[in-house]
Amino acid sequence: MTTTAPALVDYDDVVARYEPTLGLEVHVELSTSTKMFCGCPTDFGAEPNTQVCPTCLGLPGSLPVVNQAAVEAAIRIGLALNCSIAPWGRFARKNYFYPDMPKNFQTSQYDEPIAVDGWMDVTLEDGEVVRVGIERAHMEEDTGKSLHVGGAAGRIHGAEYSLLDYNRAGVPLIEIVTKMIPGTGERAPEVARAYVTQLRDLIKSLGVSDVRMDQGSMRCDVNLSLSPTGSGVLGTRTETKNVNSLRSVERAVRHEMQRQAGVLDGGGAIVQETRHFEEQSGTTRPGRRKETSEDYRYFPEPDLVPIAPSAEWVEELRGTLPELPWEHRKRIQEAWGLSDEELRDLVNAGALELIEATVAAGAPAGEARSWWVAYLAQQANTRGVELAELPITPAQVARVIALVGAGDLNNKLARQVVDGVLAGEGEPDEVVESRGLKVVSDDGALIAAVDEALAAQPDVVEKIKGGKVQAAGAIVGAVMKATKGQADAKRVRELIIERCS
Amino acid sequence: MSPDSGAISRDEVAHLARLARLAVTDAELDVFAGQLDVILGAVARVGEVAADDIPPTSHAVPLQNVFRPDVRRPGLSQEQALAGAPAAEEGRFRVPRILGEEQ
């Protein structure tokens, strides 16, 4: 920690006297099958340096070739963000010495990005809409992973040497940069989080990335500056890196506002620098100084020819854009009659898509919802996994619901069928078969069980005969017990009344 | 560092040397400054020929949209990948301590 860091200013006090200006840079790793410029796989978690070739290792004589699927993904992201698609553009070399790129440069786009000048309307929790301008979205490649040995906890300070794995080097990346976002005031942290959340949902809906912030397939840098309210003078900005969760985006903005206000209040100046977000403390610490490290000497990449998407190709890709996720949700909300809060709970629990898929497999919405948010949510909770990670598919849930609807299962049996599926015993019908879980509604078997129960409780029979129909409950219970819960309770009740009259 | 300005300064050469990770002595700075000046002067003459109607050329061949399908191709094994490395450990390239901050 810096020894003379000024105290943080109380948040309400910051927003009373300063106006924040935000800027967000988001990197998205595409989920193409191969890398940006070579045919190496992009699988997460492979053994180190097993997904490499001469091209991504920068060996002499190798030449890159652009992955068409990555360009299509970049164009679709650009279109979804209301950008113009550049009719012609080149890649550029960003030169720097750092062993995370064995080529000693990163292939990127510099002054000719593929998508420019768009926007996204970001809706806050209370319904307020903030339009965030998109400056650009460009294509580049990811870097390798460094492991620092000898320092404390893998950190670079005190490290004796570093170990490099280039599996990730060359994986396609799209960098999405917002325009400056002024005027958000006290809501700046909330706006930043909502923007990144919506961007994540949007890109997920395009199916071009799994956008997992926890696995680094989506990463966010936060630019922030403060200016005294009403001064109209833009302050010096800092860039905070390593912001790896939605919650951290919000915390990083808030902390940087409080920290910068402290520096300014003390008569100090903000240093234009890269800062690192500390997940544990929610604070930022200084990193590289910008002015010395940004001399990247960009120049057009001679090994790759320009990309010139035709208007027809762009329009064809526009035709592949799905319904926007927030519009889709609105439609579902209306169709299912959900309150804002109910919808939010479903989204946060990751249940919305599962319920939709269950409905698409033929289940009524109400029952699909009830299964996922109640019994299945409980099971996920017990196992400590996400709902989507449960080993049961929406189609299987829909089948269970159909069996209940047809009277073949009651709710208690249905839960046992689900347990069987979760335990890996196969499809719902197989579990019904192997566990013998079908509802018994065959009169022959039920009459025998009813008569037996009636014979065992003659006093209850007297009560029913005397008109106390509700006393039948005791007999229903006995029959259910005798049939291990597999009797059709409604039919049992009918039979009891019949037999006693 | 505009080529039109004529002289390239010692400071500029020192800056370039640092970016290229080259250890250049004081005496060499003077030598290189003079040599680079000559090179830049020669290149600047091209600018005299190229009028405003000639766009700067980055590629000699008029090709565009050269793509490959998103199909996997065999690469190197870990052993092959590390074969040329001066040092390796745990299947990774071992490099000297990195100065400065993480990128």
Side-chain angles (χ1 to χ4, degrees):
Chain A
M1 287 285 105
T2 325
T3 44
T4 55
L8 299 184
V9 176
D10 176 72
Y11 189 74
D12 291 336
D13 192 19
V14 177
V15 297
R17 295 183 292 114
Y18 293 99
E19 178 58 43
T21 300
L22 269 174
L24 296 157
E25 293 174 23
V26 173
H27 284 90
V28 175
E29 230 180 48
L30 296 180
S31 51
T32 48
S33 173
T34 67
K35 292 187 179 180
M36 188 75 211
F37 304 114
C38 61
C40 289
T42 53
D43 301 334
F44 182 80
E47 284 299 302
N49 296 304
T50 54
Q51 302 186 152
V52 293
C53 73
T55 300
C56 55
L57 285 180
L59 298 184
S62 62
L63 282 173
V65 188
V66 175
N67 183 343
Q68 178 162 351
V71 177
E72 286 175 350
I75 294 174
R76 292 175 74 228
I77 289 173
L79 291 173
L81 291 169
N82 304 294
C83 290
S84 312
I85 303 304
W88 191 86
R90 290 170 295 190
F91 283 98
R93 287 190 185 183
K94 178 182 181 180
N95 299 279
Y96 65 95
F97 275 92
Y98 198 82
D100 64 0
M101 277 316 262
K103 299 189 290 187
N104 279 345
F105 63 85
Q106 180 188 32
T107 308
S108 181
Q109 290 190 297
Y110 181 49
D111 50 356
E112 296 164 2
I114 191 153
V116 294
D117 195 22
W119 50 267
M120 180 166 76
D121 280 338
V122 173
T123 308
L124 305 182
E125 289 233 337
D126 64 356
E128 191 188 325
V129 175
V130 177
R131 176 160 292 193
V132 173
I134 305 294
E135 176 81 31
R136 59 189 282 161
H138 74 248
M139 298 179 282
E140 59 183 36
E141 57 181 335
D142 212 343
T143 57
K145 271 189 183 162
S146 323
L147 192 68
H148 305 297
V149 180
R155 284 271 296 281
I156 202 155
H157 293 290
E160 285 156 24
Y161 56 92
S162 301
L163 297 176
L164 271 298
D165 168 15
Y166 293 120
N167 282 348
R168 202 181 61 180
V171 170
L173 274 190
I174 305 297
E175 179 175 339
I176 300 155
V177 183
T178 65
K179 295 179 182 174
M180 280 196 290
I181 311 166
T184 54
E186 63 175 341
R187 306 197 76 172
E190 211 184 319
V191 169
R193 179 182 183 147
Y195 166 76
V196 178
T197 307
Q198 256 185 246
L199 186 61
R200 184 194 62 176
D201 293 350
L202 179 68
I203 288 169
K204 198 170 181 189
S205 78
L206 294 172
V208 295
S209 168
D210 54 9
V211 282
R212 292 274 302 259
M213 292 188 89
D214 58 330
Q215 291 186 355
S217 60
M218 181 173 189
R219 312 194 278 269
C220 181
D221 302 339
V222 173
N223 288 299
L224 189 103
S225 67
L226 290 184
S227 60
T229 304
S231 72
V233 182
L234 202 61
T236 304
R237 71 182 167 89
T238 59
E239 179 180 5
T240 303
K241 288 188 179 286
N242 199 28
V243 188
N244 293 333
S245 71
L246 295 171
R247 185 165 161 262
S248 297
V249 171
E250 190 166 355
R251 289 165 81 208
V253 171
R254 194 181 170 93
H255 176 265
E256 216 22 43
M257 286 169 69
Q258 293 180 277
R259 187 192 69 85
Q260 290 189 14
V263 173
L264 295 171
D265 281 358
I270 302 301
V271 180
Q272 184 170 340
E273 64 186 355
T274 300
R275 299 182 68 84
H276 288 267
F277 184 68
E278 302 275 5
E279 190 74 44
Q280 289 233 305
S281 58
T283 61
T284 66
R285 66 178 164 85
R288 284 179 296 147
R289 289 285 162 94
K290 272 284 177 185
E291 58 268 49
T292 54
S293 56
E294 261 202 341
D295 203 339
Y296 291 131
R297 293 148 295 141
Y298 284 96
F299 64 85
E301 167 59 65
D303 289 344
L304 293 167
V305 300
I307 291 177
S310 68
E312 295 76 46
W313 190 26
V314 171
E315 285 318 301
E316 189 190 316
L317 291 171
R318 194 189 300 278
T320 68
L321 297 183
E323 183 181 23
L324 293 170
W326 40 94
E327 285 174 5
H328 178 75
R329 275 177 208 162
K330 193 155 213 147
R331 198 164 54 78
I332 293 290
Q333 181 178 13
E334 279 162 18
W336 296 357
L338 302 176
S339 70
D340 288 349
E341 202 181 11
E342 285 170 325
L343 178 73
R344 196 161 58 234
D345 288 346
L346 292 185
V347 171
N348 290 343
L352 192 65
E353 287 160 12
L354 296 166
I355 297 168
E356 279 188 79
T358 308
V359 172
E367 282 156 56
R369 203 177 125 212
S370 144
W371 273 99
W372 285 106
V373 302
Y375 191 66
L376 289 166
Q378 250 174 48
Q379 302 310 306
N381 201 23
T382 311
R383 293 164 176 238
V385 298
E386 296 291 319
L387 209 45
E389 291 166 2
L390 280 177
I392 187 167
T393 64
Q396 289 169 331
V397 176
R399 178 61 188 153
V400 172
I401 292 170
L403 288 170
V404 175
D408 291 336
L409 294 177
N410 57 31
N411 282 331
K412 187 180 167 209
L413 293 172
R415 283 196 287 273
Q416 293 179 39
V417 174
V418 167
D419 290 343
V421 175
L422 291 174
E425 293 168 26
E427 292 298 315
D429 290 286
E430 291 165 0
V431 177
V432 168
E433 189 68 30
S434 62
R435 290 198 181 189
L437 293 175
K438 246 187 159 95
V439 164
V440 180
S441 52
D442 154 44
D443 275 5
L446 287 183
I447 287 169
V450 167
D451 283 349
E452 199 172 312
L454 290 174
Q457 303 191 60
D459 49 327
V460 179
V461 177
E462 285 313 308
K463 280 185 189 164
I464 297 171
K465 284 186 169 165
K468 286 192 167 178
V469 183
Q470 64 271 32
I475 306 293
V476 175
V479 173
M480 293 306 282
K481 200 173 172 190
T483 57
K484 297 190 189 106
Q486 286 175 238
D488 177 347
K490 194 167 153 247
R491 184 68 194 135
V492 170
R493 181 173 293 273
E494 284 167 7
L495 286 171
I496 294 167
I497 308 295
E498 250 176 66
R499 310 294 285 175
C500 292
S501 58
Chain B
M1 244 188 297
S2 140
D4 303 331
S5 66
I8 182 164
S9 72
R10 286 178 99 250
D11 284 352
E12 283 168 335
V13 178
H15 179 62
L16 288 171
R18 202 184 54 75
L19 288 175
R21 303 296 188 272
L22 294 173
V24 176
T25 64
D26 275 2
E28 285 170 329
L29 285 181
D30 291 322
V31 176
F32 292 152
Q35 290 181 352
L36 285 170
D37 238 12
V38 174
I39 294 169
L40 285 179
V43 174
R45 290 193 62 190
V46 177
E48 293 167 16
V49 185
D52 289 346
D53 59 337
I54 300 175
T57 303
S58 59
H59 296 77
V61 190
L63 276 176
Q64 53 191 28
N65 294 335
V66 176
F67 301 126
R68 67 179 171 82
D70 186 22
V71 175
R72 296 182 177 199
R73 297 181 57 161
L76 302 175
S77 67
Q78 188 187 72
E79 198 181 16
Q80 287 171 322
L82 297 171
E89 197 175 302
E90 294 172 36
R92 295 170 172 90
F93 293 84
R94 179 176 162 156
V95 300
R97 187 164 65 104
I98 300 161
L99 295 172
E101 261 300 342
E102 289 141 286
Q103 290 281 314

